[in-house]
Amino acid sequence: MLPANGITCPLFQTVGKASGVKAFVDGVTMAAVGAIAGAVIVLARRQLVDIPAILIALTTIGLLYRFKKLPELGVIGGAALVGLLLRYMS
């Protein structure tokens, strides 16, 4: 990792201010957001097919909205545990 005051830092600061570079980064960011949104739609169509799955998804969205800094592994593990409980209870 380069030090913050290394030789290349002024170069990155100069290049990063260029309008072409900013436009490129904005375009790449929007492409990534679009790809993630597309993946979410595909996965949701395949997974959200019954009431328990929809309830788990809505609860997870609510928790993520309410608590902004939940650890990812905690969210995934919690949803997995609830899914397993619902599967073996019915």
Side-chain angles (χ1 to χ4, degrees):
M1 187 165 172
L2 294 173
N5 58 0
I7 296 171
T8 58
C9 189
L11 176 65
F12 286 134
Q13 289 176 349
T14 304
V15 172
K17 292 179 183 176
S19 63
V21 173
K22 285 184 181 181
F24 174 77
V25 170
D26 288 344
V28 169
T29 302
M30 288 298 115
V33 169
I36 292 168
V40 166
I41 291 170
V42 169
L43 291 172
R45 284 185 179 169
R46 291 182 182 179
Q47 184 58 37
L48 300 177
V49 294
D50 57 357
I51 298 298
I54 293 170
L55 289 176
I56 291 171
L58 290 175
T59 303
T60 303
I61 290 169
L63 287 171
L64 289 171
Y65 183 75
R66 171 67 176 93
F67 303 104
K68 302 293 185 197
K69 298 209 179 208
L70 288 176
E72 294 85 2
L73 288 177
V75 172
I76 295 168
L81 286 175
V82 170
L84 286 172
L85 287 172
L86 288 173
R87 179 177 180 171
Y88 291 114
M89 285 177 59
S90 57

